[in-house]
Amino acid sequence: MTTKLFGEPVQRREDPRLLAGHGRYLDDLGSGALAVAFVRSPHAHARIRDIDVAPALDVDGLVAIYTWEDLPERVGRPLPLLIPHPALTHGRTAYPLARDVVRHVGEPVVMVVATDRYLAEDVCALIEVDYEPLKAVVGLEEAAHGAALVHDDVPGNVGAHLVQEVLSAAGRGAAEAIEAAPHTLAFRLDIERSASTPLEGRGVYARWDGTDLRVYSSTQTSTSVRMAIAAALGLPLPHVEVIAPDVGGGFGVKIVHPWPEEILVPWAAMLLGRELKWTEDRREHFIAAAHERGQVQHVRVGFDDDGRVLGLDVTILHDHGAYTPYGIIVPIITATQLLGPYRIGAYRVEFSAVYTNTVQVTPYRGAGRPQGVFCMERTMDKIARYLGKDRTQVREVNFIQPDEFPYDQGMIFQDGRPLIYDSGDYPRMLRMVKELIGWDDFRPAPGRGIGIGCYVEGTGVGPYEGGHVQITSDGRVHVSTGLTSQGQGHETVFAQIAADRLGVPIERVSVVTGDTRRFGYAVGTFASRAAVMSGNAIALACAKVREKALRIAGDALEADPADLTISEGLVHVAGSPSASIPLSTVAVLANPLRYAFDEETAKATQFAGTASPDRPPVAEGEEPGLEGRGYYSPIRSTFAAGMHAAIVETDPLTAEIKVVRYVVVHDCGKLINPMIVEGQIHGGVAQGIGGALYERMAYDADGQLQNASFMDFLMPYATEVPRIETGHLETPSPLNPLGIKGAGEAGVIPVSAVIASALEDAEGIEIDRMPISPSELFDLRGG
Amino acid sequence: MTAEHEITLTVNGTARRVTVPGRRLLSDCLRHDVGLTGTHVGCEHGVCGCCTVLLDGQPVRSCLTFAVTVDGREITTVEGLAGPEGLSPVQRAFAECHALQCGFCTPGFLCTVTALLRENPAPTDEEVLEGISGNLCRCTGYQNIAKAVHRAAELLAEEA
Ligand code: FES
Ligand code: FES
């Protein structure tokens, strides 16, 4: 039997290429393409009076200039609203190029094509746009106040309003349950804006050959970009291919599509009959892509003497920026995932999502969960503080118990399906995290505190993913799946699954993701779903291929397929490796041939004597080739969980904050590759530390983003991230054949809650808004 | 129209003659004129370190360097780190320690670390952190990068 790879820290198959500098990222392609640049709005809110391109017309190398007026009707329509929801009563999306009004700094107004990017930017600088500035709506409270409007036809700036309520076992609503509870608390919690900020920005490269359009995009969903482009440009789907090449990080922002640029660049490439490329620069990414996180949350909680929550009422104000292409997924996730590992008596959550004249808000790794977890975990800490109890005890009395799974939280999750947790063991996880950090032995001291945070994460959301597996006549295995990769190691983990399932050495397996030429049906990479969805789909495809291989080999070896097995790429009778046939030959036999082109394929030709003359060469219901497809479509999401704890130290004078220990216990079901899972957790925690201590989007009252550069938006360097100690618990998911749950977002989710908890312990001051800087801590201390 | 300049750069040991305008960044020159796209651009304002290359052996930010100012100099990019026997010890250590995910920051780290270990073949934990603290990575959380630096030091010592 070939060594088992599933569960092993197999080294990454993508690394040699990336380490040698041979990665193919978007801007590494299309060396002969014309360059695209955009004139973007310098105002947060303004009416466009006039656009004068005349001063730019003499620039050498200018090819074309387009404004909204130049776009055909179909191309000039507002971008699609990707996820409609009945509660999103006033969804609004942008035009690909601004029409009459701009609603945030960075909105594209004019598109320029030139022979090189420097020249395209020269042209942009010379185009004169006359704006009539309008009142900018900035900040949640100003937006909610509704005095000035972002969209004239959206009263009060309210895009969506949603209430979900779960009654207690006794049939009580939250208000009543809180009223009747022995103790109640009420407080407000704030989280600032941050953003995914991958090191590679967005980018689009398009080529049109007169019949077929091929588009490369640095995206998290090539299949859906393809459908969006086909629809916008009026092209039949089979004539459009979209490829996500190597992508330099996504973290959520690149799931949004179609970006204006994803429509405009292919459109102009067709019109001009030239290859076109647009590569986003860093400032563009800050002001024209997407942000997340910004929410204000009001909590009321009622609890008993043990700290058991009897009723919880949360009101969320969510800032979705200027437009809502991604709907209201973020606040929906906050509202539902807030419940974490707890059974809450009665729960009511209400959110209003309001427009502001800022960059649109769409999911960033964690996607609303960091805010929800911050709410719930702050609540647990406050209850403990009020009752004078240990913070872990209060959590423990509220945990869902291992024998209560599947556990129905009584709500509707982001996939439109019931929020039912499939499996988990929260008490055990708490014991593990306490032991790892030494919770019970920790001696608090002034300026030194310990904190904890727990979360549950719905992962692997549907509707489906697919996989295609083909064994070619050289014995190589080619795996493809439609979803995309941005550094998660899919080429490795999917190869591990295929190698195991097919009994071939991993060196013979290659994996392609995000290329619609290879696999056209997919949803995308987000919501910690890739391993669960495509992993299982590929396993199912492998099962089909394996079955076919055994059947063909059984004919050739005159053996019962049930007695056959595959190892090291050889099909043989189990226990007797002497009678064997290589998969390469099986692949040849699977495809009856008329013409031979080498010795191997000669075996499949009509006079080779390998096929029975009494049966059709391709039996009824069969297909030529040793290949198969599999699709995995789960009934609902699978729920991973984790608990983090940290020790922080603060400087008595400068209020500088240092995270001295950070521990993570994580349960994502069965691990395919522990090395990769651990890497995902490290990266997530680092982003969480950024969100807890450094990162914020500093908009001024006029809607100018004051820190739109890496100089001013403080992403953690190596010196800011603590060493992360990890422990794993494996409660397999009963929902999928591989028993796995998602891991991609886990690291980031509870970090703000954990750091707040530890800081509160160190300082004895309530920490109710994140991130927190040394100067803010200094101020909280009373200066 | 900006004036063009003919310059010669020795890139990874090969002399390359290119004609560039005075404002052409070294990063763009390497990527688009010389055709070596392994050097990446993450910010173009000198903060992320993705564009780090070795100029006469010293790490520099190619996005803050005009190509014309390095006429006649020696440049090593990520494509030049591997030897005839394959990946360099630093590159291999990165693979072994899972020090890269999306790989976009990696060329900058590899160049930085290669220079770091040349100068200081056995750095302490502190020195490693200090040494990589000018490069941003959004994926890895840096822990495995620091580990890879130590591992590369070991490999270099073994293979010396
Ligand atoms: S691209 Fe040069 S430092 Fe960021
Ligand atoms: S590996 Fe993605 S930015 Fe470092």
Side-chain angles (χ1 to χ4, degrees):
Chain A
M1 189 61 204
T2 315
T3 357
K4 187 176 134 306
L5 295 167
F6 191 101
E8 293 301 313
V10 174
Q11 294 224 340
R12 296 207 325 166
R13 320 249 309 136
E14 35 279 90
D15 287 355
R17 160 179 110 240
L18 302 178
L19 287 165
H22 297 152
R24 303 289 281 159
Y25 301 86
L26 195 282
D27 191 50
D28 304 343
L29 311 169
S31 55
L34 297 175
V36 173
F38 291 89
V39 175
R40 296 182 183 275
S41 169
H43 296 286
H45 198 188
R47 191 170 305 284
I48 299 170
R49 284 204 202 101
D50 183 48
I51 300 174
D52 184 6
V53 301
L57 294 177
D58 290 337
V59 174
D60 239 356
L62 169 63
V63 176
I65 299 177
Y66 305 107
T67 66
W68 181 82
E69 307 254 319
D70 301 311
L71 305 178
E73 191 277 330
R74 206 181 177 115
V75 176
R77 286 179 200 166
L79 297 165
L81 202 164
L82 293 169
I83 310 180
H85 187 287
L88 180 58
T89 50
H90 294 75
R92 294 292 178 272
T93 59
Y95 292 93
L97 289 171
R99 175 187 182 182
D100 303 331
V101 178
V102 286
R103 292 191 178 81
H104 66 89
V105 171
E107 191 162 346
V109 179
V110 185
M111 176 186 185
V112 170
V113 184
T115 49
D116 128 308
R117 177 66 179 252
Y118 289 62
L119 299 172
E121 291 189 23
D122 287 346
V123 173
C124 288
L126 291 170
I127 291 171
E128 285 169 12
V129 185
D130 182 17
Y131 296 98
E132 174 195 338
L134 303 169
K135 169 87 182 92
V137 179
V138 182
L140 272 165
E141 264 117 350
E142 187 181 333
H145 189 244
L149 296 181
V150 176
H151 298 271
D152 285 344
D153 55 351
V154 180
N157 292 313
V158 178
H161 180 254
L162 183 66
V163 180
Q164 288 206 65
E165 177 144 28
V166 190
L167 303 182
S168 73
R172 274 189 176 149
E176 203 189 332
I178 295 167
E179 203 62 45
H183 314 283
T184 60
L185 286 170
F187 42 91
R188 166 186 168 150
L189 300 165
D190 290 38
I191 296 266
E192 293 237 18
R193 270 193 182 211
S194 186
S196 303
T197 326
L199 283 192
E200 183 205 28
R202 299 174 295 134
V204 186
Y205 160 49
R207 41 203 274 200
W208 166 249
D209 66 9
T211 322
D212 291 305
L213 178 68
R214 187 190 297 177
V215 179
Y216 295 81
S217 180
S218 185
T219 179
Q220 291 176 222
T221 174
S222 52
T223 44
S224 200
V225 170
R226 178 194 190 203
M227 288 195 272
I229 290 175
L233 303 186
L235 289 170
L237 199 62
H239 290 278
V240 182
E241 298 294 353
V242 175
I243 298 142
D246 283 321
V247 173
F251 314 115
V253 64
K254 294 178 184 174
I255 191 63
V256 180
H257 65 282
W259 292 99
E261 299 86 356
E262 282 173 330
I263 301 295
L264 296 170
V265 172
W267 167 72
M270 288 174 67
L271 193 67
L272 296 168
R274 300 284 302 272
E275 293 188 15
L276 247 60
K277 182 168 73 174
W278 167 72
T279 308
E280 185 178 57
D281 71 22
R282 185 52 54 188
R283 181 170 163 78
E284 284 185 295
H285 190 75
F286 272 105
I287 62 172
H291 302 162
E292 208 231 283
R293 302 284 195 260
Q295 274 177 194
V296 173
Q297 315 172 111
H298 292 274
V299 181
R300 276 187 70 225
V301 60
F303 49 97
D304 68 13
D305 295 340
D306 295 326
R308 197 168 288 115
V309 176
L310 304 172
L312 180 69
D313 188 326
V314 181
T315 309
I316 300 167
L317 200 50
H318 171 83
D319 174 359
H320 51 207
Y323 301 107
T324 47
Y326 212 76
I328 46 174
I329 285 297
V330 172
I332 288 179
I333 295 178
T334 302
T336 47
Q337 297 263 270
L338 193 146
L339 294 169
Y342 311 112
R343 47 179 323 151
I344 297 300
Y347 176 49
R348 179 181 188 278
V349 60
E350 168 176 4
F351 71 75
S352 298
V354 294
Y355 289 102
T356 57
N357 288 114
T358 59
V359 176
Q360 66 192 14
V361 165
T362 67
Y364 158 36
R365 195 181 205 171
R369 295 177 186 88
Q371 300 94 310
V373 169
F374 187 65
C375 251
M376 185 53 110
E377 295 301 291
R378 297 280 63 217
T379 303
M380 290 293 162
D381 281 359
K382 283 173 194 289
I383 293 173
R385 191 181 166 102
Y386 179 90
L387 295 173
K389 285 185 177 296
D390 183 279
R391 286 165 288 169
T392 60
Q393 258 175 16
V394 169
R395 286 169 168 85
E396 218 166 357
V397 298
N398 285 292
F399 277 157
I400 296 162
Q401 296 302 309
D403 59 4
E404 292 179 290
F405 292 97
Y407 186 85
D408 188 348
Q409 286 282 23
M411 302 186 76
I412 298 298
F413 191 42
Q414 64 150 325
D415 51 5
R417 291 171 179 251
L419 183 69
I420 300 176
Y421 295 177
D422 51 337
S423 64
D425 188 343
Y426 309 139
R428 176 144 165 241
M429 192 176 254
L430 184 70
R431 286 198 297 278
M432 285 171 73
V433 77
K434 283 177 71 175
E435 192 168 313
L436 201 53
I437 194 124
W439 183 273
D440 290 331
D441 303 324
F442 180 79
R443 298 275 157 270
R448 188 174 159 83
I450 193 168
I452 188 165
C454 311
Y455 68 91
V456 167
E457 182 198 0
T459 69
V461 302
Y464 74 88
E465 286 298 332
H468 177 251
V469 173
Q470 180 178 20
I471 303 179
T472 45
S473 57
D474 54 3
R476 296 189 167 273
V477 178
H478 307 269
V479 177
S480 61
T481 186
L483 58 64
T484 59
S485 302
Q486 308 87 43
Q488 299 91 336
H490 295 151
E491 287 174 41
T492 307
V493 293
F494 297 154
Q496 284 178 257
I497 292 171
D500 266 359
R501 298 275 151 159
L502 294 171
V504 297
I506 193 167
E507 294 72 32
R508 274 189 224 161
V509 184
S510 60
V511 176
V512 169
T513 62
D515 184 339
T516 62
R517 296 171 300 178
R518 292 287 300 275
F519 204 93
Y521 290 94
V523 185
T525 298
F526 59 93
S528 306
R529 68 191 294 282
V532 180
M533 302 301 299
S534 283
N536 279 293
I538 289 164
L540 293 169
C542 286
K544 286 190 191 166
V545 173
R546 183 183 173 96
E547 195 198 306
K548 183 165 186 182
L550 295 184
R551 200 169 59 234
I552 294 167
D555 278 352
L557 295 171
E558 291 172 356
D560 181 349
D563 296 335
L564 295 176
T565 187
I566 317 176
S567 56
E568 294 297 331
L570 286 180
V571 189
H572 58 85
V573 178
S576 113
S578 52
S580 73
I581 176 170
L583 277 173
S584 52
T585 308
V586 177
V588 169
L589 298 179
N591 182 19
L593 291 173
R594 182 166 179 82
Y595 311 113
F597 45 88
D598 59 17
E599 227 172 278
E600 264 308 290
T601 48
K603 294 176 191 155
T605 49
Q606 56 271 50
F607 301 113
T610 45
S612 157
D614 308 327
R615 279 184 284 165
V618 177
E620 203 169 327
E622 283 284 333
E623 287 175 11
L626 190 49
E627 59 184 298
R629 273 169 204 273
Y631 289 90
Y632 174 64
S633 181
I635 175 96
R636 65 184 85 88
S637 300
T638 170
F639 289 81
M643 299 184 190
H644 296 195
I647 297 174
V648 302
E649 286 174 2
T650 54
D651 187 286
L653 292 175
T654 63
E656 202 184 321
I657 301 160
K658 191 166 160 48
V659 181
V660 289
R661 281 192 69 201
Y662 200 97
V663 310
V664 172
V665 175
H666 178 242
D667 182 357
C668 61
K670 291 257 181 229
L671 300 176
I672 307 173
N673 184 325
M675 177 190 83
I676 285 177
V677 170
E678 202 135 301
Q680 288 292 317
I681 288 172
H682 290 176
V685 171
Q687 281 177 321
I689 294 285
L693 298 176
Y694 308 105
E695 296 170 12
R696 65 186 78 214
M697 293 294 170
Y699 276 103
D700 70 8
D702 296 324
Q704 295 291 340
L705 187 57
Q706 299 290 305
N707 60 343
S709 82
F710 279 168
M711 234 115 48
D712 301 307
F713 177 81
L714 303 178
M715 263 163 48
Y717 284 102
T719 33
E720 278 72 53
V721 181
R723 216 180 78 75
I724 298 150
E725 305 160 55
T726 42
H728 295 287
L729 178 66
E730 291 190 24
T731 54
S733 170
L735 297 182
N736 63 73
L738 297 177
I740 54 184
K741 302 177 177 182
E745 295 169 281
V748 79
I749 294 172
V751 185
S752 279
V754 173
I755 300 296
S757 176
L759 272 177
E760 195 165 284
D761 193 43
E763 294 279 326
I765 304 169
E766 294 198 52
I767 308 290
D768 289 342
R769 55 187 313 145
M770 293 298 263
I772 183 162
S773 65
S775 62
E776 284 162 327
L777 179 59
F778 188 83
D779 289 345
L780 280 178
R781 281 174 178 174
Chain B
M1 188 62 213
T2 33
E4 301 273 323
H5 306 266
E6 196 175 277
I7 57 171
T8 305
L9 311 175
T10 304
V11 186
N12 303 329
T14 308
R16 312 292 296 253
R17 178 159 303 181
V18 288
T19 306
V20 292
R23 63 178 175 172
R24 191 90 168 149
L25 300 176
L26 178 58
S27 48
D28 286 332
C29 175
L30 289 169
R31 292 177 46 74
H32 304 306
D33 301 329
V34 178
L36 293 175
T37 54
T39 300
H40 296 154
V41 168
C43 69
E44 286 187 299
H45 45 253
V47 182
C48 73
C50 287
C51 66
T52 306
V53 298
L54 302 179
L55 179 64
D56 296 331
Q58 290 302 317
V60 298
R61 315 238 136 162
S62 61
C63 77
L64 294 185
T65 309
F66 289 120
V68 288
T69 64
V70 294
D71 187 14
R73 311 272 295 271
E74 295 248 353
I75 292 159
T76 308
T77 68
V78 65
E79 289 95 339
L81 295 180
E85 318 77 65
L87 296 181
S88 74
V90 177
Q91 289 169 311
R92 277 181 277 136
F94 268 62
E96 208 180 292
C97 300
H98 186 31
L100 64 156
Q101 290 182 23
C102 77
F104 198 76
C105 68
T106 311
F109 274 97
L110 292 172
C111 288
T112 305
V113 172
T114 300
L116 170 76
L117 293 178
R118 236 177 247 158
E119 211 136 278
N120 181 359
T124 62
D125 286 352
E126 288 280 286
E127 288 166 339
V128 166
L129 270 194
E130 177 70 31
I132 59 172
S133 68
N135 291 60
L136 284 172
C137 172
R138 193 57 160 168
C139 296
T140 64
Y142 304 103
Q143 192 159 322
N144 288 346
I145 296 181
K147 196 164 135 196
V149 180
H150 286 298
R151 179 66 188 136
E154 267 174 38
L155 289 174
L156 281 161
E158 279 167 24
E159 293 168 24

